[in-house]
Short mmCIF file of all heavy atoms in Angstrom, two decimals:
data_model
loop_
_atom_site.label_atom_id
_atom_site.label_comp_id
_atom_site.label_asym_id
_atom_site.label_seq_id
_atom_site.Cartn_x
_atom_site.Cartn_y
_atom_site.Cartn_z
N ASP A 1 0.80 -1.24 -0.02
CA ASP A 1 -0.03 -0.03 0.00
C ASP A 1 0.89 1.27 -0.06
O ASP A 1 0.42 2.31 -0.48
CB ASP A 1 -0.88 0.00 1.21
CG ASP A 1 -2.04 -1.03 1.04
OD1 ASP A 1 -2.34 -1.52 -0.05
OD2 ASP A 1 -2.68 -1.37 2.15
N CYS A 2 2.05 1.15 0.59
CA CYS A 2 3.00 2.31 0.65
C CYS A 2 3.84 2.36 -0.55
O CYS A 2 4.69 3.23 -0.69
CB CYS A 2 3.80 2.29 1.88
SG CYS A 2 2.91 2.52 3.44
N HIS A 3 3.69 1.40 -1.49
CA HIS A 3 4.49 1.36 -2.70
C HIS A 3 5.96 1.19 -2.39
O HIS A 3 6.87 1.96 -2.98
CB HIS A 3 4.24 2.63 -3.66
CG HIS A 3 2.82 2.87 -3.96
ND1 HIS A 3 2.13 2.08 -4.74
CD2 HIS A 3 1.99 3.85 -3.45
CE1 HIS A 3 0.84 2.45 -4.86
NE2 HIS A 3 0.77 3.63 -4.04
N MET A 4 6.27 0.24 -1.49
CA MET A 4 7.57 -0.02 -1.01
C MET A 4 7.76 -1.46 -0.98
O MET A 4 6.86 -2.24 -0.82
CB MET A 4 7.86 0.53 0.40
CG MET A 4 7.69 2.01 0.61
SD MET A 4 8.03 2.52 2.30
CE MET A 4 7.63 4.25 2.25
N SER A 5 9.09 -1.98 -1.06
CA SER A 5 9.32 -3.29 -0.78
C SER A 5 9.34 -3.49 0.75
O SER A 5 9.40 -2.50 1.51
CB SER A 5 10.80 -3.69 -1.31
OG SER A 5 11.79 -2.96 -0.49
N LYS A 6 9.19 -4.72 1.18
CA LYS A 6 9.12 -5.06 2.67
C LYS A 6 10.31 -4.62 3.40
O LYS A 6 10.38 -3.96 4.39
CB LYS A 6 8.98 -6.51 2.86
CG LYS A 6 7.55 -6.98 2.41
CD LYS A 6 7.40 -8.50 3.02
CE LYS A 6 8.23 -9.41 2.41
NZ LYS A 6 8.08 -10.80 2.94
N THR A 7 11.57 -4.84 2.69
CA THR A 7 12.89 -4.46 3.28
C THR A 7 13.00 -2.90 3.49
O THR A 7 13.33 -2.42 4.48
CB THR A 7 14.05 -5.02 2.44
OG1 THR A 7 13.94 -6.39 2.34
CG2 THR A 7 15.34 -4.54 3.05
N TRP A 8 12.61 -2.23 2.43
CA TRP A 8 12.57 -0.73 2.48
C TRP A 8 11.74 -0.19 3.54
O TRP A 8 12.10 0.66 4.26
CB TRP A 8 12.33 -0.17 1.07
CG TRP A 8 12.49 1.30 0.93
CD1 TRP A 8 13.35 2.06 1.69
CD2 TRP A 8 12.00 2.24 -0.07
NE1 TRP A 8 13.29 3.35 1.19
CE2 TRP A 8 12.47 3.42 0.20
CE3 TRP A 8 11.21 2.00 -1.15
CZ2 TRP A 8 12.11 4.55 -0.55
CZ3 TRP A 8 10.76 3.04 -1.96
CH2 TRP A 8 11.30 4.28 -1.69
N PHE A 9 10.51 -0.70 3.55
CA PHE A 9 9.58 -0.21 4.62
C PHE A 9 10.05 -0.54 5.95
O PHE A 9 10.05 0.37 6.81
CB PHE A 9 8.19 -1.06 4.31
CG PHE A 9 7.19 -0.71 5.39
CD1 PHE A 9 6.31 0.42 5.21
CD2 PHE A 9 6.99 -1.50 6.54
CE1 PHE A 9 5.35 0.63 6.19
CE2 PHE A 9 6.09 -1.13 7.60
CZ PHE A 9 5.24 -0.10 7.34
N GLN A 10 10.60 -1.71 6.29
CA GLN A 10 11.11 -2.07 7.53
C GLN A 10 12.24 -1.22 7.95
O GLN A 10 12.33 -0.75 9.10
CB GLN A 10 11.50 -3.55 7.63
CG GLN A 10 10.37 -4.52 7.52
CD GLN A 10 10.89 -5.99 7.44
OE1 GLN A 10 11.51 -6.24 6.49
NE2 GLN A 10 10.42 -6.75 8.40
N ASN A 11 13.10 -0.77 6.98
CA ASN A 11 14.27 -0.01 7.31
C ASN A 11 13.84 1.44 7.67
O ASN A 11 14.41 1.98 8.61
CB ASN A 11 15.26 -0.06 6.11
CG ASN A 11 16.05 -1.33 5.90
OD1 ASN A 11 16.09 -2.08 6.87
ND2 ASN A 11 16.62 -1.53 4.83
N LEU A 12 12.96 1.88 6.92
CA LEU A 12 12.48 3.33 7.21
C LEU A 12 11.68 3.33 8.50
O LEU A 12 11.78 4.32 9.32
CB LEU A 12 11.61 3.73 5.96
CG LEU A 12 12.30 4.12 4.77
CD1 LEU A 12 11.23 4.67 3.69
CD2 LEU A 12 13.31 5.26 4.98
N TYR A 13 10.95 2.32 8.77
CA TYR A 13 10.13 2.28 9.98
C TYR A 13 11.02 2.27 11.20
O TYR A 13 10.85 3.08 12.11
CB TYR A 13 9.15 1.14 10.00
CG TYR A 13 7.99 1.14 10.92
CD1 TYR A 13 6.76 1.42 10.39
CD2 TYR A 13 8.18 0.92 12.27
CE1 TYR A 13 5.66 1.51 11.30
CE2 TYR A 13 7.11 0.98 13.08
CZ TYR A 13 5.83 1.25 12.70
OH TYR A 13 4.78 1.31 13.53
N ARG A 14 11.99 1.48 11.10
CA ARG A 14 13.06 1.50 12.33
C ARG A 14 13.81 2.69 12.38
O ARG A 14 14.00 3.35 13.51
CB ARG A 14 13.98 0.43 12.13
CG ARG A 14 14.94 0.23 13.32
CD ARG A 14 15.95 -0.96 12.99
NE ARG A 14 15.44 -2.19 13.00
CZ ARG A 14 15.28 -2.92 14.15
NH1 ARG A 14 15.66 -2.36 15.36
NH2 ARG A 14 14.72 -4.09 14.20
N LYS A 15 14.10 3.39 11.24
CA LYS A 15 14.83 4.66 11.29
C LYS A 15 13.98 5.83 11.88
O LYS A 15 14.37 6.55 12.72
CB LYS A 15 15.24 5.03 9.83
CG LYS A 15 15.86 6.40 9.72
CD LYS A 15 16.17 6.67 8.26
CE LYS A 15 16.78 8.11 8.08
NZ LYS A 15 17.15 8.37 6.65
N TYR A 16 12.73 5.87 11.41
CA TYR A 16 11.87 6.99 11.86
C TYR A 16 11.38 6.76 13.41
O TYR A 16 11.27 7.79 14.11
CB TYR A 16 10.59 7.05 11.03
CG TYR A 16 10.98 7.50 9.54
CD1 TYR A 16 9.98 7.13 8.54
CD2 TYR A 16 12.04 8.23 9.31
CE1 TYR A 16 10.27 7.57 7.25
CE2 TYR A 16 12.27 8.64 8.00
CZ TYR A 16 11.45 8.31 6.97
OH TYR A 16 11.64 8.63 5.62
N PHE A 17 11.09 5.60 13.78
CA PHE A 17 10.42 5.35 15.06
C PHE A 17 11.25 4.55 16.10
O PHE A 17 10.75 4.26 17.21
CB PHE A 17 9.09 4.57 14.90
CG PHE A 17 8.23 5.31 13.84
CD1 PHE A 17 7.73 4.63 12.81
CD2 PHE A 17 8.01 6.65 13.84
CE1 PHE A 17 7.05 5.15 11.71
CE2 PHE A 17 7.13 7.26 12.87
CZ PHE A 17 6.75 6.50 11.76
N ASP A 18 12.46 4.13 15.65
CA ASP A 18 13.39 3.41 16.60
C ASP A 18 12.77 2.10 17.10
O ASP A 18 12.97 1.76 18.36
CB ASP A 18 13.78 4.39 17.70
CG ASP A 18 15.08 3.84 18.46
OD1 ASP A 18 15.86 3.19 17.82
OD2 ASP A 18 15.28 4.03 19.70
N THR A 19 12.06 1.52 16.37
CA THR A 19 11.32 0.23 16.62
C THR A 19 10.87 -0.41 15.33
O THR A 19 11.01 0.22 14.30
CB THR A 19 10.13 0.39 17.64
OG1 THR A 19 9.63 -0.94 18.01
CG2 THR A 19 8.99 1.08 16.91
N THR A 20 10.35 -1.63 15.44
CA THR A 20 10.02 -2.31 14.20
C THR A 20 8.46 -2.35 14.13
O THR A 20 7.76 -2.05 15.07
CB THR A 20 10.40 -3.85 14.23
OG1 THR A 20 9.70 -4.42 15.32
CG2 THR A 20 11.91 -3.85 14.46
N PHE A 21 8.03 -2.44 12.93
CA PHE A 21 6.50 -2.60 12.60
C PHE A 21 5.89 -3.72 13.47
O PHE A 21 4.92 -3.54 14.17
CB PHE A 21 6.33 -2.91 11.12
CG PHE A 21 5.01 -3.51 10.90
CD1 PHE A 21 3.74 -2.77 10.91
CD2 PHE A 21 4.88 -4.94 10.59
CE1 PHE A 21 2.51 -3.45 10.62
CE2 PHE A 21 3.77 -5.53 10.30
CZ PHE A 21 2.53 -4.82 10.33
N GLN A 22 6.61 -4.90 13.51
CA GLN A 22 6.00 -6.03 14.29
C GLN A 22 5.89 -5.68 15.83
O GLN A 22 4.96 -6.00 16.52
CB GLN A 22 6.85 -7.28 14.08
CG GLN A 22 6.14 -8.45 14.53
CD GLN A 22 4.80 -8.80 13.87
OE1 GLN A 22 4.68 -8.51 12.65
NE2 GLN A 22 3.91 -9.35 14.62
N ALA A 23 7.01 -5.09 16.33
CA ALA A 23 7.00 -4.70 17.74
C ALA A 23 5.92 -3.67 18.11
O ALA A 23 5.29 -3.87 19.08
CB ALA A 23 8.37 -4.14 18.15
N ASP A 24 5.69 -2.73 17.27
CA ASP A 24 4.60 -1.72 17.41
C ASP A 24 3.25 -2.44 17.42
O ASP A 24 2.39 -2.21 18.24
CB ASP A 24 4.63 -0.62 16.35
CG ASP A 24 5.28 0.60 16.90
OD1 ASP A 24 5.59 0.72 18.09
OD2 ASP A 24 5.52 1.53 16.10
N LEU A 25 3.05 -3.40 16.47
CA LEU A 25 1.76 -4.03 16.35
C LEU A 25 1.47 -4.80 17.62
O LEU A 25 0.42 -4.82 18.12
CB LEU A 25 1.82 -4.93 15.09
CG LEU A 25 0.54 -5.88 14.88
CD1 LEU A 25 -0.73 -4.93 14.77
CD2 LEU A 25 0.70 -6.72 13.73
N ILE A 26 2.48 -5.57 18.10
CA ILE A 26 2.26 -6.25 19.37
C ILE A 26 2.02 -5.37 20.55
O ILE A 26 1.17 -5.58 21.30
CB ILE A 26 3.50 -7.17 19.70
CG1 ILE A 26 3.76 -8.16 18.69
CG2 ILE A 26 3.50 -7.68 21.12
CD1 ILE A 26 5.08 -8.93 18.75
N LEU A 27 2.75 -4.22 20.61
CA LEU A 27 2.52 -3.33 21.80
C LEU A 27 1.17 -2.68 21.66
O LEU A 27 0.51 -2.62 22.72
CB LEU A 27 3.62 -2.21 21.75
CG LEU A 27 3.47 -1.10 22.72
CD1 LEU A 27 3.69 -1.62 24.15
CD2 LEU A 27 4.46 0.02 22.34
N PHE A 28 0.69 -2.26 20.55
CA PHE A 28 -0.52 -1.64 20.48
C PHE A 28 -1.73 -2.71 20.65
O PHE A 28 -2.77 -2.27 21.25
CB PHE A 28 -0.74 -0.98 19.11
CG PHE A 28 0.23 0.12 18.80
CD1 PHE A 28 0.63 0.40 17.49
CD2 PHE A 28 0.80 0.93 19.80
CE1 PHE A 28 1.52 1.43 17.26
CE2 PHE A 28 1.62 1.89 19.51
CZ PHE A 28 1.97 2.18 18.20
N ARG A 29 -1.47 -3.91 20.31
CA ARG A 29 -2.64 -4.82 20.53
C ARG A 29 -2.65 -5.17 22.04
O ARG A 29 -3.81 -5.34 22.65
CB ARG A 29 -2.26 -6.19 19.76
CG ARG A 29 -2.69 -6.07 18.32
CD ARG A 29 -2.35 -7.30 17.52
NE ARG A 29 -3.07 -7.27 16.25
CZ ARG A 29 -2.87 -8.16 15.23
NH1 ARG A 29 -1.99 -9.11 15.46
NH2 ARG A 29 -3.42 -7.99 14.09
N VAL A 30 -1.54 -5.27 22.68
CA VAL A 30 -1.51 -5.50 24.17
C VAL A 30 -2.11 -4.33 24.86
O VAL A 30 -2.96 -4.52 25.80
CB VAL A 30 0.04 -5.86 24.64
CG1 VAL A 30 0.04 -5.83 26.11
CG2 VAL A 30 0.50 -7.10 24.07
N GLU A 31 -1.80 -3.11 24.54
CA GLU A 31 -2.35 -1.90 25.15
C GLU A 31 -3.87 -1.94 24.98
O GLU A 31 -4.58 -1.68 25.97
CB GLU A 31 -1.74 -0.64 24.60
CG GLU A 31 -0.36 -0.40 24.99
CD GLU A 31 -0.22 -0.20 26.56
OE1 GLU A 31 -1.02 0.44 27.06
OE2 GLU A 31 0.69 -0.89 27.05
N TYR A 32 -4.37 -2.36 23.83
CA TYR A 32 -5.78 -2.44 23.59
C TYR A 32 -6.43 -3.56 24.47
O TYR A 32 -7.41 -3.34 25.03
CB TYR A 32 -6.11 -2.62 22.13
CG TYR A 32 -7.47 -2.64 21.71
CD1 TYR A 32 -8.21 -1.39 21.79
CD2 TYR A 32 -8.02 -3.79 21.12
CE1 TYR A 32 -9.55 -1.40 21.32
CE2 TYR A 32 -9.36 -3.74 20.70
CZ TYR A 32 -10.20 -2.56 20.82
OH TYR A 32 -11.49 -2.55 20.39
N ALA A 33 -5.69 -4.62 24.53
CA ALA A 33 -6.20 -5.79 25.27
C ALA A 33 -6.35 -5.45 26.76
O ALA A 33 -7.36 -5.77 27.45
CB ALA A 33 -5.35 -6.96 25.14
N LYS A 34 -5.38 -4.55 27.32
CA LYS A 34 -5.39 -4.21 28.76
C LYS A 34 -6.72 -3.41 29.01
O LYS A 34 -7.34 -3.71 29.99
CB LYS A 34 -4.18 -3.34 29.01
CG LYS A 34 -2.90 -4.19 29.17
CD LYS A 34 -1.68 -3.29 29.02
CE LYS A 34 -1.51 -2.29 30.12
NZ LYS A 34 -0.27 -1.50 30.04
N LYS A 35 -7.09 -2.57 28.11
CA LYS A 35 -8.39 -1.85 28.29
C LYS A 35 -9.58 -2.65 28.20
O LYS A 35 -10.44 -2.68 29.14
CB LYS A 35 -8.53 -0.86 27.15
CG LYS A 35 -7.49 0.27 27.16
CD LYS A 35 -7.67 1.23 25.96
CE LYS A 35 -6.53 2.28 25.93
NZ LYS A 35 -6.74 3.22 24.81
N ILE A 36 -9.63 -3.71 27.26
CA ILE A 36 -10.79 -4.60 27.27
C ILE A 36 -10.86 -5.56 28.43
O ILE A 36 -11.95 -5.86 28.94
CB ILE A 36 -10.63 -5.46 25.97
CG1 ILE A 36 -10.50 -4.55 24.59
CG2 ILE A 36 -11.86 -6.45 25.75
CD1 ILE A 36 -11.81 -3.62 24.51
N LEU A 37 -9.73 -6.00 28.98
CA LEU A 37 -9.69 -6.82 30.07
C LEU A 37 -10.36 -6.23 31.33
O LEU A 37 -10.98 -6.90 32.09
CB LEU A 37 -8.25 -7.23 30.38
CG LEU A 37 -7.58 -8.28 29.45
CD1 LEU A 37 -6.07 -8.35 29.74
CD2 LEU A 37 -8.23 -9.67 29.76
N LEU A 38 -10.15 -4.97 31.47
CA LEU A 38 -10.68 -4.22 32.63
C LEU A 38 -11.99 -3.62 32.40
O LEU A 38 -12.70 -3.31 33.31
CB LEU A 38 -9.67 -3.13 33.05
CG LEU A 38 -8.29 -3.50 33.42
CD1 LEU A 38 -7.47 -2.26 33.88
CD2 LEU A 38 -8.31 -4.54 34.48
N GLN A 39 -12.46 -3.53 31.16
CA GLN A 39 -13.81 -2.97 30.95
C GLN A 39 -14.77 -4.07 30.61
O GLN A 39 -16.02 -3.77 30.39
CB GLN A 39 -13.65 -2.09 29.60
CG GLN A 39 -12.79 -0.88 29.97
CD GLN A 39 -12.58 0.01 28.64
OE1 GLN A 39 -13.06 -0.31 27.60
NE2 GLN A 39 -11.87 1.12 28.80
N SER A 40 -14.42 -5.28 30.49
CA SER A 40 -15.47 -6.39 30.23
C SER A 40 -15.03 -7.62 31.01
O SER A 40 -14.00 -7.77 31.52
CB SER A 40 -15.50 -6.60 28.75
OG SER A 40 -14.40 -7.45 28.24
N ASP A 41 -16.03 -8.60 30.92
CA ASP A 41 -15.84 -9.91 31.52
C ASP A 41 -15.65 -10.93 30.38
O ASP A 41 -15.84 -12.15 30.73
CB ASP A 41 -17.02 -10.31 32.40
CG ASP A 41 -17.11 -9.31 33.59
OD1 ASP A 41 -15.99 -8.89 34.14
OD2 ASP A 41 -18.25 -8.97 34.03
N GLU A 42 -15.34 -10.56 29.22
CA GLU A 42 -15.29 -11.52 28.11
C GLU A 42 -14.11 -12.50 28.45
O GLU A 42 -13.06 -12.16 29.01
CB GLU A 42 -14.94 -10.73 26.84
CG GLU A 42 -16.17 -9.83 26.40
CD GLU A 42 -17.40 -10.56 25.90
OE1 GLU A 42 -17.22 -11.83 25.79
OE2 GLU A 42 -18.39 -9.93 25.62
N LYS A 43 -14.23 -13.71 27.84
CA LYS A 43 -13.21 -14.73 28.03
C LYS A 43 -12.03 -14.43 27.13
O LYS A 43 -12.09 -13.72 26.14
CB LYS A 43 -13.79 -16.16 27.61
CG LYS A 43 -14.92 -16.59 28.56
CD LYS A 43 -15.36 -18.06 28.13
CE LYS A 43 -16.55 -18.48 29.12
NZ LYS A 43 -17.02 -19.78 28.84
#
């Protein structure tokens, strides 16, 4: 979607944000899960 190769995208992502795309995805999912865990009784 960004018109980049995977390698180019990963290199720029790490350069700009000092982390990886995958690490951010995990972190944001865990942060979201923390809210859901405290706001609901879902399994």
Side-chain angles (χ1 to χ4, degrees):
D1 288 343
C2 294
H3 307 290
M4 299 179 188
S5 68
K6 290 192 297 182
T7 301
W8 189 18
F9 176 89
Q10 288 175 301
N11 288 341
L12 286 178
Y13 200 100
R14 183 185 289 276
K15 176 182 177 181
Y16 293 155
F17 310 125
D18 198 30
T19 188
T20 65
F21 156 77
Q22 192 62 37
D24 260 351
L25 178 58
I26 294 169
L27 177 63
F28 296 149
R29 281 180 170 171
V30 167
E31 289 299 313
Y32 186 65
K34 285 161 65 176
K35 297 177 184 178
I36 302 300
L37 285 165
L38 300 184
Q39 293 172 1
S40 77
D41 296 322
E42 297 289 353
K43 294 182 178 179

